[in-house]
Amino acid sequence: QVQLVESGGGLVQVGGSLRLSCAASGLTFRLYSINWFRQAPGKEREFVAAISWSGGNTDYADSVKGRFTISRDNVNKMVYLQMNSLKPEDTAVYYCAAGPKVDPDYWGQGTQVKVSS
């Protein structure tokens, strides 16, 4: 019932910005926390950021803290990831996921972000 669709990825220069979007649907979606994960070639998937629909609490990986901002729009069921001061190390496929960050229940198909060096 829950569907997540990411968009907004692309190619950006070092120091630039991108805004990723996650469009969510499902009658019980409000019960889930929403997360962003990323996976670079040859590396394991890593947690990026999370937000709670009910409480508005946020959590960030140390590697992106101060540069990335996760936000939500409950009316339109949208989640955003504003990425500033991008580094080559941020290059990865970014995934939107619903559920606890240790084991999400639903995943989007991902959107690619590439930061040129």
Side-chain angles (χ1 to χ4, degrees), residues 25-100:
S25 62
L27 294 177
T28 61
F29 194 81
R30 63 180 296 275
L31 301 177
Y32 292 87
S33 296
I34 310 299
N35 313 269
W36 287 98
F37 290 84
R38 67 186 182 186
Q39 187 167 25
K43 297 182 64 179
E44 295 183 356
R45 182 187 64 208
E46 65 175 337
F47 169 78
V48 177
I51 189 168
S52 170
W53 285 106
S54 59
N57 300 314
T58 60
D59 187 26
Y60 298 94
D62 289 339
S63 60
V64 306
K65 190 173 298 183
R67 300 187 298 120
F68 291 10
T69 302
I70 188 170
S71 60
R72 62 188 171 104
D73 180 347
N74 287 334
V75 174
N76 294 296
K77 295 185 177 181
M78 297 287 292
V79 179
Y80 305 98
L81 185 68
Q82 179 65 47
M83 307 185 296
N84 299 324
S85 302
L86 284 164
K87 307 174 181 179
E89 293 80 2
D90 296 318
T91 296
V93 176
Y94 284 71
Y95 298 91
C96 181

Side-chain angles (χ1 to χ4, degrees), residues 8-27:
L11 177 64
V12 66
Q13 296 182 86
V14 171
S17 299
L18 282 175
R19 189 193 192 196
L20 305 184
S21 298
C22 176
S25 62
L27 294 177

